[in-house]
Amino acid sequence: MPDQKRVLYWMQPIPALSLLYALAYLPLIAQLAPAISLSFYALILLNLAAHRWTARKPGPWLRGLLLLGMIILVYRSHHSLVGQSGGTALLVLLLALKLLESRTQRDFHLLGLLLCLLIVVVFLFDQSMQIAFFYLPILLLNLARFALPYGEDQPSAAQALRLILRLGLQAFPLAVLLFLFFPRLESPLWERLPVEHQGKTGIKPWLELGNVRELVLDDALAFRVQFSGEIPPEKVRYWRGPVLWHTNGRRWTPSPPAGNEAAPMPILRAERTVDYRVFLEPTGRRTLFALDLPVAVSASDARITRDFQVLAANPLNQLRAYELTSVLGYRTTGLSLEEAEAALQVPAVTDRMKALVASWRKRAPTPEALVQRGLDYFRREPFYYSLRPPPLGARPLDRFLFETKQGFCEHYASSFALLMRLGGVPARVVLGYFGGEINPLSGHLIVRQSDAHAWVEVWLGDRGWTRVDPTAVIPPERVERADWLSQLAASAPRRFRDPAATQTLFHRLQLLADAVDASWNRWIIGLKAEDQRRWLEELGLGALGTYGLVLFLVLGAMGLGGLLLYLLRNQRRLPKEQVQQLYEKLRAFLHRRGIEPNAAEGPLDYGRRVARHCPELGPSVQAFVEHYARLRYGTLKADALQINWLRKQLQEIRKHTKRV
Amino acid sequence: MRRNRPSWLPQIARGIPVDAEPVTLSQRSIYILPTGSGLAFFGVLLVMLLGALNYQNNLGLFFTFFPLSMLLVSLYHTWLNLLGLQVAVQGGPPVFCGERARFVLHLRNSTARAKIALQAQASGAVAPAQVSLPPRSETSLHLWFPGEPRGVLRLGRVRLESHYPLGFFRAWCYLDSAAETLIYPKPAAWAPLPHPVPGGLHQPGEDQGRGADDFLGLRPYRPGDSPRRLDWKALSRARGLVVKQFGGERADQIWLDWDQLPPADPERRLRWLCRQVLDAHQLGQRFGLRLPEQQIPLGQGIAHQQRCLEALARHA
């Protein structure tokens, strides 16, 4: 019997499982309450300490007490034991407690299996590529632990890892097949617990001077768009979000007229249709952003409101992919009384503002002309586009319009909408994003938080709601350039962006990472039942539906299984065996030519005997057997080169014999 | 280990008849089922699958399918770990009652893949035996049994199994073997002295007897000769191992007779006879054995001793 091998400390069940659990928990630190994380790691450390020094496990009383404490802690921290974070917190603490009391191989096996479950639970919080690559080694190390308990044949850590990597490689094609063709559910099996999400940024559904500005300095991704045709030009890429109807002079809020969520407003004329798919990062809100003007949305739980917002049924706490159809040219109709009233609501304003609008109205009898007057005012007067406007005090819009004349899109949009309302033109403010950068590597559009924008819609009798962007009339020379903006380089707000910054290597690498991330979102996270249906349709199997997928799965699995079995059963022979095989072939060949093999004879004697019998073969056969003897009994290593030489020599002998 | 094995299976399962000739394990003789931890893994994977499907969590699905695929691939490995193995079974050397008896499984791996952590288990065996075979190699595996009771130990059904590589599947086959190992009676500490062959049994034709009285000459040593008869002087004179031969009267010619033993239960008689056989052999006597239904004629030497002991072991 071999000596008891010294087992590496980290290969023993308790240290190994403690380490794996400690690693697997890391991404949860950002998601769960600090008290939970502290307790979890305290339990892990306690476990390691107990393993190291006492080998004693806490008794049932202490365990019960700990369990009770954990439940109270989870409830106090997350106010729930079953919600996403509450449930996860409870799960991890129970697992840590289980680890603390485990002593049998069976317990350790169970903990290994439950670690796999924990990983999938973490994916409810985050499905990014980084997370996937973080957990892949943890999963493999965890499974490698199952290769360990083989008594006397206990493999080393390296052997166990090699084994698991080999199994992983062999299993990978099957896993990909299952991933691609396993039928996805169109609707959930049971009601999903709401997924929680923290730390959202993004457009808020109200406008207060200053809150778009915060966003504009944030270069985080808002969403990506994959167009099925050509990408529309930048000047029409208005990504529509919340629509704001009500203002108190400082702040704009949605408060839409009653019946707004029923159905979109009728569209009289629609042209230039665009189909695209949006991958929206989690926002924690219901708004889905759409190219102005959305007419159809694919998601079953989303609908288009009367003021053309696209709203999901629930707040978006996970990356969300949805398909949309928009029209770039449109004419809406049918303004209701309530809407007209809401779109003309005016807060208390200063006399200066009233006078300004009254002066415009005198010369501009029609709404169109009034809009033009308003835009001309911003263009003619020394209005500056600045991210750091001076403070505005108690009557902000008045001060902006007549004194500071420095502001950002939110200043222009809110003051313009108010001026239009004063002039009797129904107007509302729309929040969203404008533009976006095209990633040349993948062909999709990147829309960042820094592309956040606010613009105005006015009701013109014969054209319906018409988009007016007062910010756009500020000429480039009146855009404030500041040093602190240049640090933002390519991700600076669009109008402050230095074109040269988009040409740097760093930015190209950013685009590459973005393209990889986009494909991840599209093909890993975003793979849906619709995609699977489309593949089947392209293969002409659309009629089979889910059965087609199952058919694919079964056939594919059988094919892969057969191939794997074939490969496993026909493993390459060892070099020494190949050498022996060649020698046997030579003897069999010469046997057919009349030279009996003799089992007791060594290769050199055999060679001499062959030379006596067939002198013409003598030299080549002798060269063969000498080489064979050196490979087989000598120090010469049987590598591919040597084996190849033997093989060639055998062919020579065969050819030679045929000629003779 | 035995927890999850269906108890009905051994009764209906086909075994492979195996004896000293090697038999190759074919696809049809190998059974495979998940172990307890394999079933638990399937259960956990099912939970993961339902959760990931319900939450439309594709990454969760992949992290379910990947271990699932590894589980399925490991099934192949477990199965291949037995497939193509050549097995032969032999009884071990005879032992005295109370010693440990064994059977020998000869395993030959003529395939190109190693056969790892093979376990052999038979009902009644002391402990399962475990071994690994590198590619193209052979080895022997000993199955140890308690050498009790006296008689013939039959191996019966051996389960050769493997949990390699991850322990989620158990592949096994049943080897049905007729191999047997003899268990001699445990020799008694002392035994009644056997009676020398009475004169009435003297048969002149048989007189090549070598006894204790008259020195006949020297002959070369043969294994089994009593060390007492070695000619030590000859050895010291560097003439090699030679044995003194005596002859003449039949003092060394004895019958070990069941019926002449004091009345006692059969096992006790067998133990006495065993002691007598060992002693007689030790002393280099010519002896015969009479059992109620069997008689072994006079003889001498190690083979004769073994024949007598075998008769004692097999005594019904």
Side-chain angles (χ1 to χ4, degrees), chain B residues 37-313:
Chain B
S37 60
L39 285 176
F41 201 3
F42 274 119
V44 171
L45 285 173
L46 186 67
V47 171
M48 287 157 66
L49 176 71
L50 289 178
L53 271 182
N54 196 56
Y55 283 87
Q56 297 184 333
N57 192 303
N58 273 345
L59 198 54
L61 274 182
F62 185 78
F63 270 68
T64 305
F65 292 143
F66 191 41
L68 176 71
S69 305
M70 287 175 78
L71 189 63
L72 296 179
V73 169
S74 87
L75 180 139
Y76 271 169
H77 284 259
T78 311
W79 185 68
L80 285 170
N81 202 32
L82 281 188
L83 190 73
L85 193 70
Q86 289 169 302
V87 191
V89 180
Q90 276 186 324
V95 295
F96 291 101
C97 185
E99 294 175 353
R100 289 223 289 178
R102 66 180 168 178
F103 289 89
V104 186
L105 256 72
H106 296 286
L107 301 174
R108 185 192 296 148
N109 176 14
S110 50
T111 66
R113 65 177 25 246
K115 307 282 184 196
I116 294 163
L118 304 172
Q119 274 185 16
Q121 171 79 280
S123 76
V126 176
Q130 182 165 307
V131 77
S132 294
L133 286 97
R136 331 264 169 196
S137 68
E138 46 183 287
T139 188
S140 302
L141 197 57
H142 297 276
L143 273 174
W144 293 96
F145 287 76
E148 268 166 350
R150 188 262 331 159
V152 180
L153 183 64
R154 292 197 172 75
L155 180 55
R157 179 160 273 196
V158 178
R159 205 185 57 243
L160 188 63
E161 72 176 44
S162 153
H163 298 189
Y164 177 85
L166 296 181
F168 293 132
F169 286 96
R170 169 191 297 114
W172 76 100
C173 61
Y174 293 115
L175 309 171
D176 286 331
S177 167
E180 43 189 45
T181 294
L182 286 177
I183 298 175
Y184 300 152
K186 184 184 168 120
W190 66 273
L193 281 176
H195 298 272
V197 176
L201 279 174
H202 184 102
Q203 288 157 342
E206 251 183 28
D207 189 10
Q208 324 93 352
R210 266 140 280 180
D213 287 353
D214 306 326
F215 181 70
L216 291 180
L218 295 169
R219 67 163 172 79
Y221 171 83
R222 286 196 297 258
D225 282 333
S226 165
R228 293 185 196 180
R229 304 229 178 148
L230 276 177
D231 187 347
W232 296 102
K233 283 181 194 155
L235 184 65
S236 68
R237 287 194 290 267
R239 280 164 57 192
L241 277 175
V242 286
V243 175
K244 293 183 226 165
Q245 278 187 299
F246 298 90
E249 286 189 57
R250 301 294 155 83
D252 269 4
Q253 195 159 298
I254 51 171
W255 278 99
L256 310 175
D257 194 337
W258 172 282
D259 291 327
Q260 286 186 9
L261 290 169
D265 68 273
E267 288 302 319
R268 168 153 299 207
R269 288 189 201 219
L270 288 171
R271 289 178 57 192
W272 279 334
L273 285 171
C274 181
R275 167 54 59 200
Q276 288 178 343
V277 167
L278 294 176
D279 287 350
H281 175 72
Q282 179 90 47
L283 293 169
Q285 288 170 320
R286 248 173 90 75
F287 62 95
L289 179 66
R290 277 198 200 106
L291 293 172
E293 280 155 14
Q294 196 184 5
Q295 175 164 334
I296 294 173
L298 290 164
Q300 209 175 11
I302 193 93
H304 180 68
Q305 183 202 22
Q306 277 174 7
R307 201 176 148 207
C308 293
L309 289 173
E310 181 175 345
L312 294 178

Side-chain angles (χ1 to χ4, degrees), chain A residues 501-519:
Chain A
T502 59
Q503 300 303 318
T504 59
L505 177 64
F506 178 67
H507 187 62
R508 279 169 207 219
L509 288 177
Q510 274 183 328
L511 288 178
L512 178 65
D514 174 78
V516 172
D517 202 36
S519 335

Side-chain angles (χ1 to χ4, degrees), chain A residues 425-447:
Chain A
V425 180
R428 60 192 186 190
V429 172
V430 182
L431 294 178
Y433 297 90
F434 175 62
E437 182 183 8
I438 296 167
N439 187 334
L441 295 169
S442 59
H444 66 259
L445 189 76
I446 311 165
V447 179

Side-chain angles (χ1 to χ4, degrees), chain A residues 59 133 177 207 230 371 438 482 516 603 632 653 659:
Chain A
F133 281 102
L177 180 86
L207 180 79
E230 218 174 288
V371 168
I438 296 167
V516 172
R632 166 98 198 187
I653 295 169
R659 275 203 300 277

